[in-house]
Amino acid sequence: MGNENAAGRVASVLRAEILQGDVAPGARLSQQGTAERFGVSRIPVRDALAILAGEGLVRPSTNATAVVTGMSIAELQELYELRQAIEPLATQLAVPNVGRADVLSMQRELDIMRTQTDARRWLAANAAFHAAVYRRANRPRMIELVEQLRRLTDRYMYVHLEVIGQTEHLDAEHLSILHAVERGDAVAAGQLTRDHLASSHDFILTYMLEMQGAANGDGSEPATGRGRPS
């Protein structure tokens, strides 16, 4: 149990650092060096790196190390294509089973997102907001997949929140989803969730394409409107 707790703690810290960009893509994480940093044995570090590998944040390498994976336009598009195929369906299936407690939970998480200035806490509230609905779908495999895809997308959402800014649309979209769920309109909730995913995808994709263009020397400038989540 001690190793399990230590592995979870190490994975949580490393996940946050990768998400924020404190640990850059391509960085090598050795089991020995990480164990010394956290004051644990190599076993929980090995398990922590396995957790992160399962989330797609690192890939195993040689000599008991793992390499932080990069972000790419191809991955971004695949992640959002999968989410747009699955998450609206999970939401639509769930709405008839959503109770008043779930709606109040969504309202609480929405309030947190509106006032939170820390991107990690915003992302946690965002995940809890949507989970309050789709976990009522009674589709455990679907829910597991949705949550895995959300974790993989968090690095891209962090870019949206902390680098691009222009997050006002997120608040309006969340509110529309909440109202659809509250009135029991499953079809509308599913469609609004699909639209919500599409808008974030477009914001991040546009930025990454502009960054790619700037790196290739075509003279384009990335459209940044640095701002905090609202």
Side-chain angles (χ1 to χ4, degrees), residues 19 30 37 42 47 68 76 79-80 97 100 109-110 114 117 124 126 165 179 183 185 198 212 218 222:
L19 170 65
S30 74
R37 174 190 170 190
R42 288 177 57 173
D47 293 343
V68 177
L76 172 72
L79 288 173
Y80 271 97
N97 303 319
R100 186 62 187 164
E109 301 302 338
L110 181 56
R114 284 171 165 170
T117 59
N126 180 57
H179 287 164
R183 66 177 183 266
D185 191 336
Q212 183 182 74
D218 68 1

Side-chain angles (χ1 to χ4, degrees), residues 91 94-95 97-114 124-136 150 171 173-184 189 192-193 196:
T91 298
V95 167
N97 303 319
V98 171
R100 186 62 187 164
D102 302 311
V103 171
L104 291 175
S105 176
M106 293 175 72
Q107 291 174 336
R108 182 177 65 250
E109 301 302 338
L110 181 56
D111 288 341
I112 291 172
M113 285 186 279
R114 284 171 165 170
N126 180 57
F129 174 88
H130 291 284
V133 183
Y134 63 66
R135 286 182 179 172
R136 296 298 185 188
R150 277 193 168 277
D171 182 53
E173 290 160 9
H174 283 143
L175 188 60
S176 295
I177 292 169
L178 172 60
H179 287 164
V181 171
E182 194 167 19
R183 66 177 183 266
L192 288 165
T193 298
H196 173 56

Side-chain angles (χ1 to χ4, degrees), residues 80-176:
Y80 271 97
E81 285 165 358
L82 288 167
R83 288 185 65 185
Q84 286 176 251
I86 299 167
E87 210 162 322
L89 174 60
T91 298
Q92 184 170 337
L93 290 170
V95 167
N97 303 319
V98 171
R100 186 62 187 164
D102 302 311
V103 171
L104 291 175
S105 176
M106 293 175 72
Q107 291 174 336
R108 182 177 65 250
E109 301 302 338
L110 181 56
D111 288 341
I112 291 172
M113 285 186 279
R114 284 171 165 170
T115 59
Q116 187 54 247
T117 59
D118 182 88
R120 286 172 296 175
R121 293 179 181 175
W122 189 99
L123 288 168
N126 180 57
F129 174 88
H130 291 284
V133 183
Y134 63 66
R135 286 182 179 172
R136 296 298 185 188
N138 298 320
R139 300 290 193 279
R141 292 186 183 276
M142 185 183 294
I143 292 167
E144 182 180 4
L145 181 55
V146 166
E147 293 183 345
Q148 181 186 15
L149 292 169
R150 277 193 168 277
R151 286 192 297 268
L152 290 170
T153 312
D154 271 353
R155 278 200 293 179
Y156 295 93
M157 278 301 298
Y158 188 87
V159 170
H160 189 352
L161 298 171
E162 289 289 278
V163 180
I164 306 171
Q166 303 176 38
T167 56
E168 294 81 5
H169 71 101
L170 297 172
D171 182 53
E173 290 160 9
H174 283 143
L175 188 60
S176 295

Side-chain angles (χ1 to χ4, degrees), residues 1-15 44 47-48 51:
M1 182 62 71
N3 281 340
E4 290 178 6
N5 290 338
R9 177 170 62 86
V10 173
S12 178
V13 173
L14 292 177
R15 183 186 297 111
D47 293 343
I51 291 170

Side-chain angles (χ1 to χ4, degrees), residues 185-226:
D185 191 336
V187 173
Q191 184 59 53
L192 288 165
T193 298
R194 183 176 290 104
D195 294 343
H196 173 56
L197 291 168
S199 70
S200 289
H201 183 191
D202 286 347
F203 266 86
I204 302 165
L205 179 58
T206 297
Y207 173 79
M208 293 184 72
L209 287 169
E210 290 173 345
M211 287 294 291
Q212 183 182 74
N216 291 338
D218 68 1
S220 62
E221 292 291 334
T224 59
R226 187 175 177 82

